[in-house]
Amino acid sequence: MQRFGFALVLLGSLFLAIGSAAPALAQDEEPAQELPPLQLLTDYPSQVIGIDETADLDLRLRTGTEAQIVSLSVEDLPENWTADFRGRNRLVRSVYVTPDDTATVTLRVTPPEDVEPGEYSFTVIAEGEAAEDELPITLVVQERVPANLSLSVELPMVRGRPDSTFRYNATLENEGDEDLTVNLSADAPPGFVVTFESGTQEVTTLPLAAGDSERINISVEPITRLEVGTYPIVVHADGGVAQASLELAADVVGQSSVTLTTPDGRLSGQAEAGAETTYTLLLQNTGSAPARGIEMSHSAPNGWTVSFEPEGVDELPPGQQQEVTARVQPPDNAIAGDYVVTFRARPEDASNESMEYRVTVRTSTLWGVAGVALIAVAVAVVGLAVARFGRR
């Protein structure tokens, strides 16, 4: 009997615990939020348009009950304005809406041609079989800045040599209220290649948002040897509704080119030890600009003396030449043989020009005569000695 009473108490406690836990579980689970019977939505209910523009508004319709056909209309549309609804590029007046999907439709609103700047409001009405919804819309009409591109450069003329690359830093700016895609091109004389860089990338087309600007590096590279002169380059920026152009110039200046040789082309000669020998050198300017401040220098074996007359040339015009006398003296104790002397000509605005000249050194004839005399004396002394002491 006691066991039966204990079982009843335990069973009652269990039911009490289940009953108290049920409300707690109900409080933890939030009920699912139900959608309204009909909703009419758009992301941008207030827009700014230009006087000559048409506004397209993307509308969305949702239902939280049952599928229904929803009729669409516009109330309080300003005078002489037109509005129509479009779905899949067709004019529509109603939309079929289901609970598990969102229907979309586009409202196109067109102001009259003589519309004045200002704020205009109207209401879109969505009327279903069991519910309806309204969506207020505001359009602000204002004068828009016409599309305009500007192209400017810091230095429109760059000077360089015939083999130089001419570089320009330009700025492209969209001064209108419309985003543009700008194509870049250039009109250049034959022999030039023009490239455009934005940042570190070579480009021919640039997207440019309204009011933005972009730095452009323009490189003009010659692919043939150019004559001295000024070459015009015209850069074009075409944004479709707006264009801009920029006039550049590549000023090609002359470049001297000095060669060093001899009048007959021979690069060797003879010299005597201890004696000064003169050689005639020939300076030629085969470039397209004067060679200025030409200095003569040399490299010779130790103990050799080298000088020039004149020691330098102030200016050598293009296509001209001038003779320079090189005075070379080997030392008295120079051994007979071949030696190399290097002659150099260095203009102030160009690289060195050098020429290696081979000099064959001969010993003096006086030393030869002296040697023969010494030998003769030695022979005579030996002969006398033999003759005298041989008789004994």
Side-chain angles (χ1 to χ4, degrees):
M1 189 66 178
Q2 291 179 351
R3 293 181 179 176
F4 179 73
F6 178 75
L8 288 177
V9 173
L10 182 59
L11 184 60
S13 300
L14 181 60
F15 278 113
L16 182 60
I18 294 175
S20 61
L25 292 175
Q27 290 177 1
D28 292 340
E29 295 180 0
E30 295 184 359
Q33 186 177 0
E34 294 185 357
L35 293 175
L38 184 62
Q39 274 188 310
L40 178 60
L41 307 168
T42 186
D43 290 333
Y44 309 105
S46 180
Q47 296 187 16
V48 178
I49 63 173
I51 288 182
D52 56 348
E53 287 188 337
T54 297
D56 286 337
L57 295 96
D58 295 325
L59 307 178
R60 302 191 307 275
L61 293 109
R62 298 189 298 186
T63 179
T65 55
E66 58 184 11
Q68 55 183 313
I69 296 176
V70 179
S71 298
L72 301 171
S73 61
V74 177
E75 288 187 356
D76 303 325
L77 192 67
E79 186 177 0
N80 296 327
W81 287 51
T82 61
D84 54 64
F85 297 94
R86 297 171 180 266
R88 296 184 180 178
N89 297 323
R90 299 178 66 89
L91 293 176
V92 298
R93 294 184 180 179
S94 61
V95 182
Y96 186 73
V97 186
T98 60
D100 56 351
D101 197 7
T102 299
T104 59
V105 66
T106 300
L107 171 62
R108 175 167 294 180
V109 181
T110 304
E113 294 182 359
D114 58 350
V115 66
E116 295 291 334
E119 185 175 296
Y120 298 85
S121 300
F122 52 90
T123 304
V124 181
I125 306 296
E127 187 175 359
E129 298 174 1
E132 68 177 43
D133 196 11
E134 298 181 355
L135 179 63
I137 300 294
T138 299
L139 295 179
V140 178
V141 180
Q142 65 180 26
E143 293 279 0
R144 292 179 67 90
V145 178
N148 186 52
L149 279 175
S150 69
L151 192 57
S152 58
V153 67
E154 296 176 1
L155 295 174
M157 177 179 286
V158 175
R159 178 171 295 177
R161 296 177 177 177
D163 56 351
S164 300
T165 297
F166 301 84
R167 305 183 188 278
Y168 309 84
N169 297 320
T171 301
L172 178 64
E173 185 173 2
N174 182 358
E175 298 177 343
D177 285 344
E178 182 179 350
D179 296 345
L180 300 175
T181 299
V182 183
N183 296 317
L184 301 172
S185 61
D187 294 331
F192 286 96
V193 174
V194 182
T195 57
F196 304 95
E197 290 184 354
S198 176
T200 58
Q201 292 186 337
E202 186 175 324
V203 297
T204 57
T205 302
L206 278 176
L208 198 59
D212 281 356
S213 61
E214 188 78 22
R215 296 278 293 179
I216 301 174
N217 297 320
I218 305 172
S219 298
V220 180
E221 183 178 2
I223 56 176
T224 60
R225 186 166 183 85
L226 303 174
E227 299 293 333
V228 174
T230 301
Y231 296 83
I233 299 102
V234 181
V235 176
H236 302 283
D238 188 354
V241 295
Q243 295 82 30
S245 61
L246 182 65
E247 293 184 358
L248 306 175
D251 186 19
V252 179
V253 296
Q255 182 178 6
S256 63
S257 179
V258 174
T259 61
L260 182 60
T261 184
T262 60
D264 57 4
R266 293 183 58 185
L267 301 180
S268 63
Q270 294 182 348
E272 291 186 3
E276 182 181 88
T277 305
T278 60
Y279 305 100
T280 301
L281 310 180
L282 188 63
L283 279 173
Q284 295 176 313
N285 184 1
T286 59
S288 55
R292 295 184 174 89
I294 303 174
E295 297 180 356
M296 302 299 300
S297 61
H298 70 279
S299 295
N302 291 333
W304 288 52
T305 301
V306 180
S307 62
F308 300 96
E309 185 181 340
E311 295 181 352
V313 178
D314 293 335
E315 181 174 321
L316 187 60
Q320 299 296 314
Q321 61 186 26
Q322 180 170 334
E323 291 185 351
V324 175
T325 300
R327 302 183 182 276
V328 179
Q329 181 176 341
D332 295 338
N333 58 352
I335 301 174
D338 290 340
Y339 298 82
V340 174
V341 178
T342 301
F343 301 115
R344 296 188 184 89
R346 184 181 64 182
E348 64 181 17
D349 59 348
S351 57
N352 289 354
E353 175 68 14
S354 62
M355 177 187 72
E356 291 186 349
Y357 197 86
R358 183 170 57 84
V359 178
T360 301
V361 176
R362 300 176 302 176
T363 55
S364 173
T365 56
L366 178 61
W367 288 104
V369 172
V372 171
L374 288 174
I375 294 172
V377 170
V379 170
V381 170
V382 171
L384 289 175
V386 170
R388 181 176 180 179
F389 295 105
R391 296 174 182 176
R392 295 180 182 181

